[in-house]
Amino acid sequence: MPKPDDGPASGTILTNARIVLPDGVRHGDLHIADGRITTFAVGEQIDLGGRYVVPGFVDMHVHGGAGASYQRPQQARRAASFHLAHGTTTTMASLVTGTPRELAETVAGLADLAADGVIAGIHLEGPYLARDRCGAHDPALLRAPDPAEFRRLVRLGRGHVRMITLAPELPGALDLVREAADAGVIPAVGHTEAAGGTARAAFDAGARVATHLFNAMRPLHHREGGPVAAALNDPRVTVELINDGVHVEPAVTRLAFAAAGPRVALITDAMAAAGMGDGDYRLGAMDVEVRGGRATLAGGTSIAGSTITMADAFRRAVTDAGLPVQDAARAASLTPARALGIGSRAGSLEPGKDADLAVLDDDLQVTWVMKRGTIVPRARILSEN
Ligand SMILES: [Zn+2]
């Protein structure tokens, strides 16, 4: 216990808080010292007046925000700080399909930002995806799994390529799933025409995530459950959900939680347009129009990523899908943290974990954000809104 002569206190106590824990909501104080949640701290007291405190959001699938795209490493800090200001304290950087050269350059650039802690890792969404389920990926650049290219990207990523989404029905895909798992890269099934048997084979080979369940995959049919049933039924698999009210409707969100509650990870799949309003944008090589907050490929109807933040995904899970606050918080933090292998330091407000959190008002709007015990300057929220 610190004594008065230990020098200036380094801690913070959030008093009068509604603390959202994995198993419920507790009213009381949250102690923070040296950047971590602790059982006792001395220092500044901040009275939250009964506001909610939720664990900082963990977004395992996001392409950008605030006009910035992870496809361009020089813009990555802007995207990450936009989402941080809205409560995302841990973010992956997802890359859409590109040419071998583009991907290599981008991965190398993002590895520096991962080493600096700006992003938690790189998610390769593609380029080994099904042409018929390409969504907003340039179909001309899709290719069969190429182990040599994959190894090169992993090498250029210097340990920071953490996930790859691929279509398991492509030639050589299951071998690549095994190779990725062995290399510490989480294989994810997505953008796929696979039937249930092939999806199950991918999970048996080491795939552990279903990329934006329901979207860009063979739909659930009662005589062929496809990847949706395979993923929902498999206790090893985390299912991502784009809970923006566009990609899945609230009834489907409820269905996913009923089938696989602790394995549902809310994601944004946000593109650069998040936080920017309507306009014309780029996603990789594709032109995207945002009208009324809905992003579609230019001149078409294919939806192309979202424009939400994790705070929106979390709030919609409560207000639109009717989930308890703690279940929505788990899906926005603990489940994705565990899927990424960082559940011991992120994802919940428990002693020993990083003091990454968001303070929310009664309408579940973000009031302010703390990362590693430091309050994120509110100016960032104001300047980027
Ligand atoms: Zn995506």
Side-chain angles (χ1 to χ4, degrees):
M1 189 182 294
K3 296 184 292 290
D5 59 354
D6 279 351
S10 63
T12 308
I13 304 122
L14 307 181
T15 66
N16 191 14
R18 267 188 285 177
I19 305 164
V20 180
L21 296 167
D23 54 354
V25 181
R26 177 174 68 79
H27 195 140
D29 300 346
L30 191 68
H31 294 258
I32 293 153
D34 300 322
R36 296 210 171 153
I37 315 274
T38 163
T39 53
F40 177 81
V42 288
E44 185 190 8
Q45 296 206 4
I46 303 175
D47 186 340
L48 294 191
R51 287 194 181 88
Y52 286 107
V53 184
V54 296
F57 304 125
V58 177
D59 194 351
M60 61 190 286
H61 187 156
V62 51
H63 297 271
S69 167
Y70 288 123
Q71 224 71 23
R72 300 178 186 281
Q74 68 274 22
Q75 300 179 353
R77 283 179 194 276
R78 180 150 52 103
S81 56
F82 164 78
H83 285 287
L84 173 61
H86 291 81
T88 299
T89 49
T90 301
T91 188
M92 293 284 279
S94 299
L95 297 180
V96 294
T97 295
T99 65
R101 188 178 158 178
E102 282 164 357
L103 281 177
E105 287 175 2
T106 309
V107 164
L110 287 176
D112 293 336
L113 292 151
D116 285 354
V118 176
I119 59 172
I122 301 161
H123 164 215
L124 300 171
E125 188 175 18
Y128 317 131
L129 307 176
R131 209 165 288 272
D132 290 343
R133 298 284 174 188
C134 65
H137 293 253
D138 185 348
L141 296 177
L142 297 177
R143 40 203 186 264
D146 178 345
E149 180 186 29
F150 174 73
R151 280 172 212 142
R152 180 156 173 256
L153 291 173
V154 169
R155 196 168 59 245
L156 289 167
R158 310 198 307 275
H160 300 296
V161 174
R162 295 288 299 118
M163 187 157 94
I164 180 167
T165 293
L166 48 72
E169 71 274 25
L170 295 177
L174 294 181
D175 286 336
L176 197 72
V177 166
R178 279 184 276 271
E179 174 160 355
D182 286 346
V185 178
I186 302 157
V189 169
H191 288 274
T192 173
E193 256 306 297
T198 305
R200 287 192 292 275
F203 298 136
D204 286 340
R208 289 294 174 265
V209 171
T211 297
H212 40 56
L213 195 74
F214 301 107
N215 297 115
M217 60 178 63
R218 176 195 285 254
L220 179 73
H221 185 280
H222 55 286
R223 279 190 286 274
E224 170 47 78
V228 174
L232 288 174
N233 281 330
D234 193 325
R236 302 169 295 187
V237 176
T238 299
V239 300
E240 298 180 347
L241 217 54
I242 312 174
N243 192 43
D244 63 347
V246 174
H247 286 78
V248 291
E249 65 149 323
V252 171
T253 297
R254 288 178 64 86
L255 186 65
F257 273 86
R263 294 187 285 113
V264 177
L266 300 179
I267 59 167
T268 63
D269 197 16
M271 51 168 295
M276 294 294 284
D278 289 358
D280 299 322
Y281 299 90
R282 299 277 287 177
L283 182 61
M286 310 297 271
D287 290 314
V288 174
E289 301 171 345
V290 178
R291 303 288 182 265
R294 183 187 175 102
T296 54
L297 289 184
T301 54
S302 274
I303 41 178
S306 87
T307 59
I308 59 168
T309 63
M310 284 297 289
D312 298 325
F314 162 80
R315 188 176 54 255
R316 280 177 174 279
V318 177
T319 58
D320 296 8
L323 293 166
V325 169
Q326 64 268 23
D327 291 3
R330 180 185 60 201
S333 299
L334 189 56
T335 299
R338 284 181 175 159
L340 295 172
I342 54 171
S344 62
R345 65 173 171 82
S348 60
L349 300 172
E350 294 170 296
K353 291 202 181 184
D354 289 347
D356 291 350
L357 56 88
V359 174
L360 311 177
D361 65 17
D362 285 346
D363 296 327
L364 304 180
Q365 301 283 350
V366 174
T367 308
W368 53 265
V369 177
M370 177 179 276
K371 181 166 177 171
R372 305 254 167 101
T374 301
I375 294 175
V376 175
R378 185 161 172 74
R380 276 198 208 161
I381 301 181
L382 299 175
S383 69
E384 284 166 3
N385 250 344

